[in-house]
Amino acid sequence: MSTAIGSVTLAEPVILAPMSGVTDLPFRRLVSAMAPGWSVSEMIASQAMIRQTRQSMTMAANTPEEFPMAVQLAGCEPPVMAEAARLNADRGAAIIDINFGCPVKKVVGGHAGSALMRDEAQAARILEAVVQAVDLPVTLKMRTGWDAQNRNAPRLARIAEECGIRMVTVHGRTRCQFYDGSADWKFVREIKEAVSIPVIVNGDVVTLEDARAALDLSGADGVMIGRGAYGRPWFVNQVIRYLRTGERLPDPSLTEQRETVLMHYDAMLTHYGVSVGSRVARKHIGWYSKGLPGSAEFSRLGQPHRRSGAGGGGDPRILRAARGGGMMAGVVRVQNGAGDAPLEMGAVLAALPDPIVVVDAHDRMRYANAAAEQFFETSALSLTTASLGDFLRWTAHYSRSSNRCARRDTASRNMA
Ligand SMILES: Cc1cc2nc3c(=O)[nH]c(=O)nc-3n(C[C@H](O)[C@H](O)[C@H](O)COP(=O)(O)O)c2cc1C
């Protein structure tokens, strides 16, 4: 079932939801590689966009692989929204999506996001300005209304259609619900019946059956998936297949999941740089490991570590581990063991102030930087000849123990 959104075709009726701090380029690319369809950027403040701040440019970045990609804009001033839309059209966006759904106080306080559901006249001015500014299809994402007494999404959808909006996505909650209660898929039918443009239903789709029920109850043309894709970039594709054929694709094997995690992790470090990337990676890795044996311990290992004064360096960055499947833990993955990548990376890692240990695809420890040598008070050679299992056990012990010297002694003994 394909749906036309102006000049762009939505090949499958399943869209990955925009989620600030989650659906960045590395995650969207991962989902796009597994599932044909759309992706939407994280919400970008139009004021920041026209100033072309580094953060807004990073958020708006796209690649041809994820075409058609929508950039989502938020703001309350029609000319600024229009200018931000033009900028993104020039930078390769295929669609401009407007956010009238964000419930966050800071956004609503600035008369943007779901605050615009309370001011239909201003909402219309923004929609018109953006539609006139670009040749691309412009879409709208909103909630059912401000609160239970003011569920005006059907009326606003009609206004949007009159302004030239090509598709409306509705998260089946009011602004005042934030994320409480459950999404009202049935109410979305009122919006579907109010307009002739495509309507997408959103909220609480975490199983294949949810996707079917959301579509059946709402009569919508497609479904948008947000939190259901946490740690499951393959879920969008499973939903596509299920809706198309009734087939239930199994989750990827643990080995395949591991490959996905590693690929995602590498992509995050490349996209954001090591420091920010490893912070962003933490939450994804927590989601990936959820439900696997040992996940609680694993998440604890991935927590940010406090830097200690003397000696420099904090705990080593154990950013990934797997339990039960004989998988590994480590910090930075190198693709081909002794290939070019470790040498290139070595120079970068050596300069980092945090202790870093690198493991290769065969779980062999290949590299320890100077900070790691200093932190562990042992040579890189003895670190890289230790077994990974010993290293992990020892690291966990090291993080728990309160006596730093004693910990170091134990470490040196174990590593020697
Ligand atoms: C962490 C997080 C960030 C979000 N950021 C955005 C955003 O930038 N733009 C937007 O339109 N909606 C945003 N949303 C709302 C989602 O797109 C979606 O409407 C909502 O989560 C309900 O769908 P779900 O139950 O499938 O997650 C966000 C939601 C979450 C949980």
Side-chain angles (χ1 to χ4, degrees):
M1 170 168 91
S2 69
T3 310
I5 316 298
S7 55
V8 176
T9 301
L10 175 57
E12 298 290 345
V14 185
I15 303 174
L16 177 67
M19 290 187 286
S20 300
V22 181
T23 52
D24 51 12
L25 182 59
F27 190 72
R28 296 197 312 268
R29 206 190 253 153
L30 207 56
V31 173
S32 308
M34 298 178 188
W38 265 27
S39 54
V40 187
S41 77
E42 304 162 87
M43 177 181 80
I44 306 174
S46 52
Q47 276 286 3
M49 190 73 238
I50 64 166
R51 290 199 314 275
Q52 303 196 31
T53 63
R54 178 134 54 106
Q55 193 189 17
S56 66
M57 300 306 265
T58 304
M59 286 161 111
N62 59 77
T63 57
E65 301 140 50
E66 58 166 353
F67 188 88
M69 183 261 193
V71 168
Q72 190 187 68
L73 298 172
C76 64
E77 299 158 284
V80 176
M81 288 287 279
E83 180 56 23
R86 268 192 293 271
L87 257 169
N88 280 291
D90 292 345
R91 291 172 48 82
I95 294 150
I96 301 295
D97 188 55
I98 298 178
N99 182 315
F100 283 0
C102 181
V104 172
K105 265 202 189 120
K106 199 171 145 206
V107 175
V108 168
H111 306 290
S114 50
L116 286 158
M117 295 201 73
R118 293 213 284 186
D119 187 347
E120 292 173 7
Q122 183 65 359
R125 282 191 282 273
I126 290 171
L127 298 175
E128 265 169 12
V130 175
V131 168
Q132 280 165 21
V134 289
D135 276 339
L136 308 176
V138 181
T139 59
L140 171 65
K141 182 164 178 283
M142 61 180 167
R143 290 187 168 231
T144 53
W146 178 259
D147 58 21
Q149 288 69 48
N150 297 284
R151 294 210 289 177
N152 61 337
R155 197 169 57 238
L156 195 50
R158 257 195 314 272
I159 294 171
E161 186 173 25
E162 282 161 15
C163 292
I165 291 297
R166 300 301 191 128
M167 183 184 92
V168 176
T169 301
V170 186
H171 173 190
R173 288 182 173 84
T174 64
R175 184 271 172 183
C176 289
Q177 278 183 286
F178 286 86
Y179 290 87
D180 288 347
S182 31
D184 189 344
W185 299 328
K186 210 160 148 209
F187 184 77
V188 177
R189 186 171 283 277
E190 295 190 27
I191 296 131
K192 173 68 190 157
E193 285 168 0
V195 292
S196 52
I197 51 177
V199 172
I200 304 295
V201 60
N202 167 241
D204 300 349
V205 172
V206 293
T207 65
L208 301 178
E209 292 73 18
D210 289 340
R212 183 74 270 161
L215 284 172
D216 289 347
L217 282 172
S218 65
D221 302 275
V223 62
M224 180 177 270
I225 294 170
R227 292 163 296 171
Y230 280 1
R232 300 196 289 171
W234 47 86
F235 182 56
V236 172
N237 191 46
Q238 289 173 321
V239 173
I240 289 175
R241 183 70 73 88
Y242 181 71
L243 293 177
R244 208 195 294 153
T245 67
E247 187 188 353
R248 292 168 182 277
L249 290 176
D251 284 348
S253 68
L254 272 185
T255 308
E256 288 164 333
Q257 289 186 29
R258 171 181 185 258
E259 283 310 306
T260 300
V261 176
L262 296 178
M263 217 157 62
H264 189 186
Y265 179 57
D266 286 345
M268 286 184 278
L269 292 199
T270 306
H271 186 65
Y272 292 109
V274 172
S275 170
V276 176
S278 52
R279 256 202 331 268
V280 174
R282 231 173 261 137
K283 65 179 163 233
H284 286 281
I285 290 171
W287 291 327
Y288 280 119
S289 65
K290 206 169 158 202
L292 291 176
S295 62
E297 186 192 358
F298 175 44
S299 296
R300 191 169 45 71
L301 284 170
Q303 288 309 305
H305 38 272
R306 256 169 267 122
R307 296 184 69 85
S308 46
D315 291 344
R317 292 194 165 181
I318 302 301
L319 289 176
R320 56 180 194 241
R323 307 286 153 182
M327 296 203 289
M328 35 75 51
V331 179
V332 178
R333 180 172 190 245
V334 295
Q335 291 297 340
N336 300 313
D340 294 332
L343 294 176
E344 265 176 42
M345 269 198 288
V348 178
L349 300 175
L352 292 174
D354 286 322
I356 305 274
V357 176
V358 177
V359 294
D360 69 13
H362 306 289
D363 298 353
R364 286 183 304 242
M365 306 207 348
R366 300 202 63 94
Y367 176 85
N369 69 354
E373 285 186 301
Q374 189 187 6
F375 182 77
F376 297 130
E377 289 183 346
T378 188
S379 70
L381 184 65
S382 61
L383 279 171
T384 50
T385 49
S387 87
L388 190 59
D390 281 350
F391 177 76
L392 281 178
R393 268 192 298 282
W394 168 76
T395 301
H397 165 77
Y398 202 103
S399 323
R400 273 196 302 271
S401 170
S402 58
N403 184 325
R404 189 176 168 87
C405 294
R407 281 181 283 151
R408 283 213 170 134
D409 289 347
T410 314
S412 302
R413 265 200 313 279
N414 288 347
M415 284 296 174

